[in-house]
Amino acid sequence: MKHHVNFTPGPSQLYFTVADHARQAFKEGIPSLSHRSKRFEQISKETTDGLRELLAIPAGFHIFFTASATEIWERIFQNLVEVTSFHLVNGSFSKRFHEIGIQLKKNAKKTEALAGQGFGNEVALPDDTELIAVTHNETSTGVSLPVEWIHHLKEKKPEALLAVDAVSSLPYPAFDFKLVDSLFFSVQKGFGLPAGLGVWIINDRCVAKAEALAAKNVSIGSYHNIPTLLSHAKKNQTPETPNVLAIYLLSKVVADFLRRGVESLRKETEYKAAILYQALEKNSWTSPFVKEKQFQSKTVIVADCQENTEKISAFLSSRGLDAGDGYGSSKKTQLRFANFPAHSKEQYELLVDSLGELKV
Amino acid sequence: MKHHVNFTPGPSQLYFTVADHARQAFKEGIPSLSHRSKRFEQISKETTDGLRELLAIPAGFHIFFTASATEIWERIFQNLVEVTSFHLVNGSFSKRFHEIGIQLKKNAKKTEALAGQGFGNEVALPDDTELIAVTHNETSTGVSLPVEWIHHLKEKKPEALLAVDAVSSLPYPAFDFKLVDSLFFSVQKGFGLPAGLGVWIINDRCVAKAEALAAKNVSIGSYHNIPTLLSHAKKNQTPETPNVLAIYLLSKVVADFLRRGVESLRKETEYKAAILYQALEKNSWTSPFVKEKQFQSKTVIVADCQENTEKISAFLSSRGLDAGDGYGSSKKTQLRFANFPAHSKEQYELLVDSLGELKV
């Protein structure tokens, strides 16, 4: 397994520096470091400072560590929605985000697009929307909503908070933080790290909303409500004992990304996506599942392979290239290819060459 | 730092096999393993099977993975308390458990004992108690409540659920699962692992309670409510992408503990505790903070050192022995010594010998 390239969109292939960073962490005693120590505060600050630089996060935004992006879905409803949220649902993950609102007894409204499709400019945002919830990149179908279109949602309804699930796209997309209130991701996708850490970025408007709900005696949760997360984050700490090793590893990979340069990462992502989409078009046995170019994800590329899915997967695997299965009911008809910084140009070129030699 | 022994009660010293297990995990591709794969299900099953054997957990109990024990506090209120819980508070952690109930808008009642003390048999459990919450081992003060006394709470009020926080004592105490409904811990204490994983053990009565609350339209949370955790646990999966690496490492350390034998671990714990308490008594500059023998913790031993605290800590550190600070307001007057399986007999003997040579 270790010589295979893992194209599953998450947990995905580790960034190539991670094993060395983990070895160093054990040498330095990081896994048994107290989360109330100065050294932990320093690691935590390096991580958030690095993320601020990498993603161009301005002042007035706060960065919190959680256990997963799934946890962040829950925290968003508890802290940012008194009654009504509005969801753009176009796949399994945006659907799950919406369902969690229902489970938490919120009036979670939605508009739906078919699998493989995005949304047009006609989307109407209900008047009582407190929070707009949108999934930038649907890991299940490979649909990515254009960043400008997401910004446009905020311009349409500036009084609502806009929360963007960027789980399987960051660090690729460049969001304008003037037009986003909350953004979140987990580290086992684009950051190429072991699973077990979510990162939640919020602005002061989110803090004010959580405080207003608490003042109204709405339960906003306990150890991971926004005021508690914030008071600890100001000291570069966390309310509970966190996944210290994961925070350390994130600080190291963010530093590696910064050394490569985010623009270079983005260009490489676009190059790799372009050659794979081209190969999927050219090949008689495959086609991109997402037809409209504007919605084709750069970071999770889904191939429609129909009855040849298993054969293609086996052929690629024989070349050391492990495609991800299609999601859910598409398991037998699609393959998914993560295109993260951990996937090198050379690995993508090998994938494209292999697809060129494919005969089913 | 790496040659020092870390006696801080958590995150504490790693069990001596952990670094090797982590290296092996990276070799086997565990950190990028899909949590929906057969291999993950197998690791998850190994972990829960091992815990069942180690802690003698009978059928009718379920084992769930969470992010931390702090998270489990929150899940207990959401899933097991409609209105009223009752808390035995005798230190900072039992206090925090109680406060989380208040934050989650439950009628969390309590009885309090002074720091360093336990409870007598006169504790009255209010009639409307749905859940009794007790902290077996107060990490802040080194008070451990006798296991038989905890069982007695259940006998006093069998219709209430009994939830035991065993964060800083397991695997040492042997609970009788006929007299406990829910038990939980986190892995960075007695299991000697990196922080970032909580383990929640519940019985079918807890499942029934959560289902009854859901049927009454009480919000029991979302991805980590008991019915969702249970349906995934039955497949040896988790609802969200978990800390896969931590679950793997736990499976390995539990297997190591089983090879040593839980009885041998328990005897060694008692031996180490006995020689340290004796040394603290003998030494003119130290005394056990917990005076009553029946409440003296075997796993977190707190030394009252008053004005000599800093000197004693520095002296021990010069011998490569890093004591934990006293908790909170006792930081300048107490030292804490974790006595976990990761702390060897030889390390404890060195600690005791060093205390014998101490001159302040």
Side-chain angles (χ1 to χ4, degrees):
Chain A
M1 180 152 155
K2 59 188 156 175
H3 299 301
H4 279 222
V5 185
N6 179 5
F7 288 103
T8 308
S12 192
Q13 181 158 293
L14 295 186
Y15 194 62
F16 72 100
T17 59
V18 172
D20 281 344
H21 291 316
R23 247 193 306 274
Q24 185 61 26
F26 275 89
K27 266 193 214 159
E28 290 182 25
I30 304 298
S32 57
L33 190 66
S34 164
H35 59 298
R36 299 292 176 236
S37 65
K38 288 285 159 215
R39 178 79 179 100
F40 174 77
E41 290 174 8
Q42 185 187 29
I43 291 167
S44 173
K45 186 170 188 310
E46 272 172 33
T47 313
T48 52
D49 284 354
L51 285 169
R52 280 178 195 279
E53 186 180 346
L54 186 74
L55 305 177
I57 302 169
F61 276 80
H62 313 284
I63 303 176
F64 303 144
F65 299 114
T66 71
S68 62
T70 306
E71 183 192 347
I72 297 169
W73 284 339
E74 193 173 277
R75 303 308 174 194
I76 283 175
F77 290 107
Q78 291 174 329
N79 285 270
L80 303 180
V81 182
E82 183 175 1
V83 180
T84 305
S85 58
F86 182 73
H87 299 257
L88 294 121
V89 175
N90 65 331
S92 300
F93 292 92
S94 44
K95 183 164 176 257
R96 188 80 192 98
F97 192 175
H98 170 258
E99 283 168 353
I100 284 188
I102 304 289
Q103 285 186 291
L104 296 177
K105 314 292 179 194
K106 306 293 178 179
N107 182 19
K109 301 179 179 177
K110 64 175 170 175
T111 185
E112 279 188 274
L114 292 176
Q117 297 188 11
F119 301 91
N121 283 327
E122 74 293 350
V123 167
L125 304 169
D127 285 344
D128 55 352
T129 304
E130 294 162 68
L131 177 108
I132 307 162
V134 62
T135 301
H136 173 241
N137 196 66
E138 248 302 343
T139 320
S140 62
T141 59
V143 170
S144 191
L145 303 175
V147 165
E148 301 67 34
W149 186 84
I150 290 176
H151 293 154
H152 176 65
L153 288 173
K154 179 72 185 173
E155 287 164 338
K156 268 172 105 165
K157 199 166 182 60
E159 70 279 19
L161 295 172
L162 177 65
V164 182
D165 176 337
V167 162
S168 58
S169 56
L170 282 176
Y172 171 67
F175 288 101
D176 177 352
F177 282 88
K178 287 193 293 297
L179 296 167
V180 168
D181 297 291
S182 177
L183 185 72
F184 58 96
F185 64 96
S186 47
V187 301
Q188 76 275 15
K189 312 234 178 215
F191 289 81
L193 286 162
L197 187 70
V199 177
W200 189 16
I201 304 162
I202 65 159
N203 65 11
D204 284 330
R205 290 189 68 217
C206 295
V207 176
K209 176 81 182 192
E211 286 171 348
L213 294 186
K216 281 182 167 180
N217 206 30
V218 173
S219 174
I220 58 172
S222 62
Y223 71 109
H224 271 184
N225 65 37
I226 286 180
T228 304
L229 283 163
L230 182 61
S231 68
H232 284 83
K234 283 182 174 169
K235 299 180 286 184
N236 297 300
Q237 290 193 6
T238 55
E240 84 297 8
T241 313
N243 187 342
V244 176
L245 178 59
I247 296 171
Y248 170 90
L249 293 175
L250 178 58
S251 77
K252 294 300 172 191
V253 164
V254 166
D256 294 335
F257 284 3
L258 285 169
R259 266 188 296 274
R260 262 175 85 177
V262 69
E263 278 317 314
S264 142
L265 285 176
R266 284 174 181 150
K267 280 200 186 113
E268 208 170 293
T269 303
E270 286 164 4
Y271 166 76
K272 291 182 291 170
I275 63 171
L276 180 54
Y277 277 116
Q278 196 176 39
L280 296 180
E281 297 273 12
K282 218 166 88 182
N283 197 304
S284 330
W285 300 283
T286 61
S287 62
F289 174 60
V290 179
K291 303 300 171 203
E292 280 187 79
K293 285 233 176 321
Q294 61 163 332
F295 296 128
Q296 286 180 343
S297 170
K298 301 280 192 288
T299 55
V300 178
I301 297 160
V302 178
D304 200 350
C305 310
Q306 292 303 323
E307 69 279 10
N308 296 314
T309 303
E310 215 177 314
K311 270 190 211 163
I312 297 173
S313 180
F315 172 78
L316 290 176
S317 189
S318 74
R319 301 286 176 104
L321 303 165
D322 291 342
D325 285 334
Y327 192 84
S329 60
S330 301
K331 190 169 173 156
K332 302 281 180 207
T333 58
Q334 298 179 1
L335 293 174
R336 292 183 299 161
F337 298 92
N339 175 19
F340 296 149
H343 301 99
S344 70
K345 273 206 290 205
E346 292 68 26
Q347 290 168 345
Y348 254 73
E349 284 160 357
L350 179 63
L351 171 63
V352 163
D353 289 348
S354 301
L355 285 170
E357 292 162 35
L358 174 69
K359 289 193 179 48
V360 296
Chain B
M1 180 150 153
K2 59 189 156 174
H3 299 301
H4 278 225
V5 185
N6 180 4
F7 288 103
T8 308
S12 192
Q13 183 158 292
L14 295 186
Y15 193 63
F16 73 100
T17 58
V18 172
D20 280 345
H21 292 315
R23 247 192 306 275
Q24 187 60 26
F26 275 89
K27 264 192 212 160
E28 290 182 24
I30 304 296
S32 56
L33 189 67
S34 165
H35 59 298
R36 299 292 175 235
S37 65
K38 287 286 160 216
R39 177 81 179 100
F40 173 76
E41 289 174 8
Q42 186 187 30
I43 291 167
S44 173
K45 186 170 186 314
E46 272 171 34
T47 313
T48 53
D49 284 353
L51 286 169
R52 280 179 194 279
E53 187 179 346
L54 186 73
L55 306 176
I57 303 168
F61 276 80
H62 313 283
I63 303 176
F64 303 146
F65 300 114
T66 70
S68 62
T70 306
E71 183 191 346
I72 297 169
W73 285 339
E74 193 173 278
R75 302 308 175 194
I76 282 175
F77 290 107
Q78 290 173 330
N79 286 270
L80 303 180
V81 182
E82 182 175 1
V83 180
T84 306
S85 57
F86 182 72
H87 299 256
L88 294 121
V89 174
N90 64 332
S92 300
F93 291 92
S94 42
K95 185 165 177 255
R96 188 82 192 97
F97 192 174
H98 171 258
E99 284 168 353
I100 284 187
I102 304 288
Q103 285 186 290
L104 297 176
K105 313 291 178 196
K106 306 292 178 180
N107 181 19
K109 300 179 180 178
K110 63 175 170 175
T111 185
E112 279 187 274
L114 291 176
Q117 298 187 11
F119 301 90
N121 284 326
E122 74 292 351
V123 167
L125 304 170
D127 285 343
D128 56 351
T129 304
E130 295 162 69
L131 177 108
I132 308 163
V134 62
T135 302
H136 173 242
N137 196 67
E138 246 305 341
T139 320
S140 61
T141 60
V143 170
S144 191
L145 302 175
V147 165
E148 301 68 32
W149 186 85
I150 290 176
H151 293 154
H152 178 64
L153 288 173
K154 179 73 185 174
E155 286 164 338
K156 269 172 104 164
K157 200 168 183 59
E159 70 279 18
L161 296 173
L162 177 65
V164 182
D165 177 336
V167 162
S168 57
S169 56
L170 283 177
Y172 171 67
F175 289 100
D176 177 352
F177 282 89
K178 286 193 290 298
L179 296 168
V180 168
D181 298 290
S182 177
L183 184 72
F184 58 96
F185 64 95
S186 49
V187 300
Q188 76 275 13
K189 313 235 179 214
F191 289 80
L193 287 162
L197 187 70
V199 177
W200 189 17
I201 304 161
I202 65 160
N203 65 11
D204 284 330
R205 291 189 67 215
C206 295
V207 176
K209 176 80 181 192
E211 286 171 350
L213 293 186
K216 280 181 166 181
N217 206 29
V218 173
S219 173
I220 57 171
S222 61
Y223 70 110
H224 270 185
N225 64 37
I226 286 181
T228 304
L229 283 163
L230 182 61
S231 68
H232 284 83
K234 283 181 173 167
K235 298 180 287 183
N236 297 299
Q237 290 194 4
T238 56
E240 84 297 8
T241 313
N243 187 341
V244 176
L245 178 59
I247 296 170
Y248 170 89
L249 293 176
L250 178 57
S251 77
K252 294 299 171 191
V253 164
V254 166
D256 294 335
F257 284 3
L258 285 169
R259 264 188 297 273
R260 263 176 85 178
V262 70
E263 278 316 315
S264 142
L265 285 176
R266 284 175 180 149
K267 280 199 187 114
E268 208 171 292
T269 302
E270 285 164 4
Y271 166 77
K272 291 182 291 169
I275 62 170
L276 181 54
Y277 276 117
Q278 197 177 39
L280 295 179
E281 296 274 11
K282 217 166 88 182
N283 197 303
S284 331
W285 301 285
T286 59
S287 63
F289 174 60
V290 180
K291 303 299 173 205
E292 279 187 80
K293 285 234 176 319
Q294 62 163 330
F295 296 128
Q296 286 180 344
S297 170
K298 299 282 192 288
T299 56
V300 177
I301 298 159
V302 177
D304 200 351
C305 310
Q306 292 303 323
E307 69 278 11
N308 296 312
T309 303
E310 214 177 316
K311 270 190 209 161
I312 297 173
S313 179
F315 172 78
L316 291 175
S317 189
S318 74
R319 301 286 176 103
L321 303 165
D322 292 340
D325 286 333
Y327 192 84
S329 60
S330 301
K331 191 170 173 155
K332 302 282 180 207
T333 58
Q334 297 179 0
L335 293 174
R336 291 183 299 160
F337 298 92
N339 176 19
F340 296 148
H343 301 99
S344 70
K345 271 207 290 202
E346 292 68 26
Q347 289 168 347
Y348 253 72
E349 285 160 357
L350 180 62
L351 171 63
V352 163
D353 289 348
S354 301
L355 284 170
E357 293 163 32
L358 175 68
K359 290 194 178 48
V360 297

